Amino acid sequence: MKEGKSKIEWAGQQMPVLRLIKERFAKEKPLKNLTIGACLHVTSETANLVLALQAGGANVALCASNPLSTQDSVAASLAKDYDIPTFAIKGEDNKTYYKHLNTVLDFKPQITMDDGADLVSLLHKERKDQIKDILGSSEETTTGVIRLKAMEKDKALKIPVIAVNDSDTKHLFDNRYGTGQSSIDGIIRATNVLLAGKTFVVAGYGWCARGVAQRAKGMGAHVVVTEVDPIKALEAVMDGFMVMQIAKAVRIADILITATGDKHVVNAKLFEQMKDGIILCNTGHFDVEIDVAHLEKVKKSKRTLRPSLEEYVLNNGKKIYLLAEGRLVNLGAAEGHPAEVMDMSFANQALAAEWFVKNKGKLKNKVYVLPKKMDREIARLKLKAMGVSFDRLTGEQKRYLSSWHEGT
Ligand code: ADE
């Protein structure tokens, strides 16, 4: 428990923006008498968000948003040291995972927080009677936002939602630099292989994938990108990466990581074509990107070589190394994004909760983004905490930008 508490404290020291919000919340108590149900990765960074919400007067109940991402020492410390009802065990099975989500909903929250939209989905499918009590729900991740927008399009969404992921101070930093660094961290912790000189294939070129590609390049790997979007593929080419079809890339990949958010990107056909000894992993939210069920079906044998590292041998003798069961490698085999980026993501989450309270009764059942002013304020506070000063527009410059009269 001591380990969890000191981890929480250390992460908190790298989260100055969230700290400022927590201090204000402690004075103003904007979340007084509210219950918040949070389904997030149970990490030392999340613990600091929960403590900020608690300082604001909320009762928070927390469960894991992924069966593999929980830091058990943090969960124990939250429960014992801070009186936060926490329902999460690293490695929990699917049944326990959903039991924990249901337990959080048993607390009858007025605000929910999600990382992947599982709580909102459960609320809409099995706990409909509670929907009337919900002020709103905030969503952390790209995958969750895609699900929620699909619900909105189907007219199935019955509560207001804030897409925290869509704030610039979230996806431009957390997805890019956070996923970039933590995914490499996960690969290294699971395997301890040298990246320099390896052929490193990144499937996808969204913000998360870009971060991974950039960092792998920085470590001396030969980075290949695969994409389905012609604009992103073109960007990858001009960012200096090789771009090719995945069927070709698997033949040369020493390491392949998926970061697309889509299903069966590494499908049944591709396993046969892979280079012998390939290291396979995923950093997308759900474990759907690599068809692990097929790998299980066609394997001749399987053994665990190190924590988070499994060797699959196929009938033709080919070996495939799978990390973290195909779940997100950055949280399954490492500790997720560093606190410095979660600082901004969770500043958005904390402000989203306050925004739901301030806008009670005025919101529609749709997916909102936090106002740009709040996004810019988070960036300003982060820069201040980092000791970085930046320029302001002069009066003349402001006038120039808002006028069409001056030209050639
Ligand atoms: N998502 C990615 N990294 C995370 C972290 N460290 N804590 C909570 N959620 C995360």
Side-chain angles (χ1 to χ4, degrees):
M1 195 199 317
K2 196 167 173 296
E3 182 196 329
K5 195 166 186 233
S6 46
K7 274 186 83 158
I8 294 170
E9 191 185 321
W10 169 248
Q13 285 175 28
Q14 329 303 324
M15 302 177 87
V17 180
L18 188 63
R19 191 160 58 241
L20 283 173
I21 293 171
K22 183 182 175 189
E23 285 163 10
R24 179 172 67 74
F25 275 14
K27 280 193 218 124
E28 298 175 5
K29 301 282 179 202
L31 308 174
K32 202 169 157 205
N33 297 329
L34 277 176
T35 299
I36 298 180
C39 177
L40 300 168
H41 298 295
V42 179
T43 65
S44 51
E45 294 76 25
T46 298
N48 279 282
L49 167 63
V50 168
L51 297 179
L53 301 170
Q54 189 186 49
N59 298 310
V60 188
L62 176 66
C63 63
S65 59
N66 184 285
L68 261 197
S69 61
T70 298
Q71 295 168 5
D72 287 332
S73 64
V74 169
S77 173
L78 275 173
K80 287 258 162 59
D81 300 323
Y82 299 103
D83 277 333
I84 303 286
T86 304
F87 306 93
I89 306 163
K90 187 175 173 81
E92 64 195 16
D93 60 20
N94 231 40
K95 196 167 150 224
T96 312
Y97 176 80
Y98 276 100
K99 190 179 92 185
H100 287 161
L101 264 73
N102 273 300
T103 308
V104 161
L105 292 181
D106 290 343
F107 282 79
K108 306 269 182 312
Q110 290 93 29
I111 292 177
T112 60
M113 285 182 181
D114 248 328
D115 188 322
D118 278 345
L119 207 54
V120 165
S121 169
L122 184 63
L123 202 56
H124 282 70
K125 283 182 186 151
E126 291 173 28
R127 309 279 298 241
K128 292 189 181 89
D129 55 313
Q130 286 182 242
I131 285 180
K132 62 179 183 330
D133 304 325
I134 304 280
L135 298 183
S137 184
S138 50
E139 171 54 50
E140 174 77 5
T141 200
T142 316
T143 294
V145 172
I146 290 170
R147 283 180 91 186
L148 292 160
K149 286 190 173 156
M151 285 176 80
E152 183 184 351
K153 194 161 164 253
D154 278 357
K155 305 215 180 325
L157 187 66
K158 303 293 177 209
I159 56 174
V161 163
I162 293 178
V164 162
N165 182 71
D166 293 1
S167 293
D168 284 344
T169 49
K170 200 283 183 179
H171 64 268
L172 292 178
F173 302 91
D174 167 315
N175 301 27
R176 179 168 34 178
Y177 305 114
T179 308
Q181 179 167 318
S182 62
S183 301
I184 300 288
D185 185 11
I187 292 168
I188 291 174
R189 288 197 207 193
T191 63
N192 200 26
V193 296
L194 184 74
L195 295 190
K198 294 279 191 305
T199 298
F200 189 107
V201 176
V202 182
Y205 205 60
W207 288 114
C208 294
R210 279 163 210 235
V212 177
Q214 240 183 36
R215 293 300 175 252
K217 185 177 177 180
M219 299 283 281
H222 304 292
V223 179
V224 175
V225 169
T226 72
E227 244 305 335
V228 292
D229 179 322
I231 296 174
K232 287 185 182 150
L234 187 58
E235 282 183 278
V237 171
M238 296 213 182
D239 284 344
F241 299 113
M242 290 265 283
V243 173
M244 64 179 76
Q245 289 179 327
I246 195 161
K248 218 167 154 195
V250 295
R251 295 175 190 275
I252 57 168
D254 297 307
I255 301 170
L256 185 153
I257 183 166
T258 53
T260 69
D262 212 343
K263 197 173 174 180
H264 293 175
V265 174
V266 174
N267 62 26
K269 270 197 266 164
L270 293 176
F271 292 117
E272 287 154 32
Q273 295 158 26
M274 284 175 184
K275 182 173 171 180
D276 186 26
I278 188 171
I279 294 168
L280 268 188
C281 58
N282 162 55
T283 197
H285 183 79
F286 286 119
D287 59 341
V288 295
E289 304 207 18
I290 302 170
D291 188 354
V292 178
H294 182 80
L295 193 56
E296 284 289 337
K297 210 164 70 191
V298 299
K299 71 173 190 285
K300 196 170 89 188
S301 64
K302 172 184 164 182
R303 59 183 179 144
T304 302
L305 291 186
R306 288 165 56 105
S308 307
L309 171 59
E310 271 158 347
E311 179 191 73
Y312 286 79
V313 183
L314 305 185
N315 275 325
N316 60 8
K318 216 183 249 186
K319 288 177 177 155
I320 292 174
Y321 295 97
L322 182 68
L323 308 188
E325 304 167 16
R327 294 190 186 276
L328 19 72
V329 70
N330 61 336
L331 281 139
E335 293 173 66
H337 305 353
E340 289 89 336
V341 289
M342 295 316 294
D343 187 26
M344 290 187 282
S345 310
F346 287 162
N348 277 282
Q349 285 283 11
L351 296 180
E354 187 181 33
W355 194 79
F356 281 130
V357 177
K358 284 187 176 155
N359 289 284
K360 185 177 172 179
K362 293 187 223 156
L363 302 175
K364 298 200 175 95
N365 297 334
K366 57 178 253 193
V367 180
Y368 289 87
V369 183
L370 276 180
K372 195 75 216 149
K373 213 173 136 198
M374 286 161 74
D375 208 1
R376 293 172 71 83
E377 182 58 16
I378 291 170
R380 209 172 280 126
L381 291 173
K382 188 71 179 175
L383 285 166
K384 191 165 171 216
M386 293 168 83
V388 179
S389 47
F390 64 106
D391 290 320
R392 309 269 144 124
L393 291 174
T394 62
E396 180 192 25
Q397 288 173 327
K398 275 190 199 158
R399 281 191 298 281
Y400 178 78
L401 290 177
S402 60
S403 137
W404 55 272
H405 292 287
E406 277 187 63
T408 313

